[in-house]
């Protein structure tokens, strides 16, 4: 039905649909801060209604699973992605409702930081800015070090496969 991610607003509410390689479709997302861990019927109704307004063919889809999960966020709504003050510890967390959309770039960057190997299939032009914006130390260090300015300046990183 879909070949790429669709993001939309319906009456001010965000809705997204993400196609998977196995021909399933992920539909999201609601959010709430009430501490409950269950899927609410009203949330499911709202998502299906809004998705249908954007892609009417959603009516022909089977519902395979409904889930509610914690989606931790940060005080500035940007995730934490990068190295920490603990030697060898790289984190990628705090994506809140954008996790499903940021997973490809955040997981690639985390893997590159852990292994020190840049993905040769990827254009790395905006990586330094993303890592600077999502620096895990940005809320704890009043005078952070200068951000990385080019992929070559990432610590212990180089191109190619090892």
């Amino acid at each position: 039905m879909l070949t790429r991610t669709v993001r939309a607003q319906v009456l001010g509410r965000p809705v997204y649909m993400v196609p998977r390689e196995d021909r399933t479709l992920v539909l999201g997302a609601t959010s709430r801060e009430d501490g409950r861990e269950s899927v609410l019927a009203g949330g499911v109704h709202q998502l299906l209604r809004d998705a249908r307004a954007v892609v009417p063919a959603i009516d022909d889809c089977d519902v395979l699973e409904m889930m509610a999960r914690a989606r931790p966020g940060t005080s500035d709504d940007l995730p934490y992605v990068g190295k920490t003050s603990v030697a060898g510890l790289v984190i990628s967390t705090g994506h809140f409702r954008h996790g499903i959309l940021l997973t490809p770039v955040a997981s690639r960057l985390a893997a590159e930081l852990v292994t020190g190997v840049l993905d040769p299939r990827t254009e790395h032009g905006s990586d330094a800015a993303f890592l600077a914006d999502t620096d895990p130390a940005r809320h704890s260090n009043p005078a952070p070090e200068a951000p990385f300015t080019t992929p070559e300046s990432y610590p212990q990183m180089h191109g190619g496969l090892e």
Side-chain angles (χ1 to χ4, degrees), residues 25 27 44 48 58-67:
L25 184 69
L27 170 63
V44 172
L48 289 171
I58 199 88
D59 282 350
D60 295 326
C61 293
D62 296 329
V63 176
L64 302 178
E65 178 181 20
M66 290 181 271
M67 70 177 124

Side-chain angles (χ1 to χ4, degrees), residues 73-80 94 132-144:
T74 65
S75 61
D76 61 2
D77 292 327
L78 290 173
Y80 294 129
D133 289 344
T134 61
D135 182 355
R138 71 183 181 275
H139 292 121
S140 61
N141 185 359

Side-chain angles (χ1 to χ4, degrees), residues 128-129 131-133 135 137 141-150 153-155:
L131 287 169
D133 289 344
D135 182 355
N141 185 359
E145 295 179 22
F148 305 125
T149 56
T150 65
S153 68
Y154 297 167

Side-chain angles (χ1 to χ4, degrees), residues 42-102:
V44 172
H45 174 76
Q46 175 185 312
L47 281 174
L48 289 171
R49 182 187 62 224
D50 292 350
R52 184 175 190 242
V54 177
V55 179
I58 199 88
D59 282 350
D60 295 326
C61 293
D62 296 329
V63 176
L64 302 178
E65 178 181 20
M66 290 181 271
M67 70 177 124
R69 292 193 179 148
R71 293 182 278 181
T74 65
S75 61
D76 61 2
D77 292 327
L78 290 173
Y80 294 129
V81 179
K83 292 187 175 189
T84 68
S85 60
V86 177
L89 178 62
V90 172
I91 63 170
S92 179
T93 190
H95 296 83
F96 188 49
R97 70 179 315 139
H98 305 293
I100 193 149
L101 301 171
L102 290 174

